[in-house]
Amino acid sequence: MSESRETRIKRMRMRSMRRGIKEMDLILSAYADRNIEAMDVGALDLYDALLHENDQDLYQWVTGQVSAPDRYRDLIADISQTFQK
């Protein structure tokens, strides 16, 4: 049984705000609040995959300390821009 879009978005919002590092809680929950409802299936798939990445890696990607993998490069740039607004 596949989850509904509404259930998926709720799960992803919760995963965005319940990370291991407080900084990532703040960054990803702000991004999800501003963007997740408007995402299409492909964007949700990519963001869902990103949510399974290690917080230390995510933090370094978002802050520009380390280059993000090609797969996530545009998404990470968007997350970084959202957080800086």
Side-chain angles (χ1 to χ4, degrees):
M1 175 187 250
S2 65
E3 64 187 343
S4 69
R5 178 179 172 85
E6 179 182 333
T7 300
R8 184 179 193 192
I9 287 174
K10 284 180 183 180
R11 175 182 55 78
M12 291 169 66
R13 280 183 193 259
M14 184 61 69
R15 184 71 177 116
S16 295
M17 72 173 103
R18 303 266 191 228
R19 306 294 306 175
I21 298 175
K22 186 65 175 174
E23 291 84 355
M24 290 313 303
D25 293 349
L26 297 170
I27 292 167
L28 293 179
S29 63
Y31 179 77
D33 286 346
R34 292 180 185 163
N35 297 286
I36 203 166
E37 292 289 339
M39 289 181 178
D40 63 20
V41 173
L44 286 172
D45 288 346
L46 184 62
Y47 186 63
D48 203 3
L50 182 81
L51 291 175
H52 288 87
E53 295 290 338
N54 180 292
D55 272 357
Q56 287 81 11
D57 294 336
L58 285 172
Y59 186 74
Q60 289 181 332
W61 299 340
V62 170
T63 60
Q65 296 174 33
V66 175
S67 294
D70 290 340
R71 176 181 184 194
Y72 298 126
R73 189 159 288 138
D74 292 339
L75 178 56
I76 292 294
D78 194 32
I79 291 169
S80 296
Q81 289 295 319
T82 299
F83 187 68
Q84 292 175 8
K85 291 179 184 176

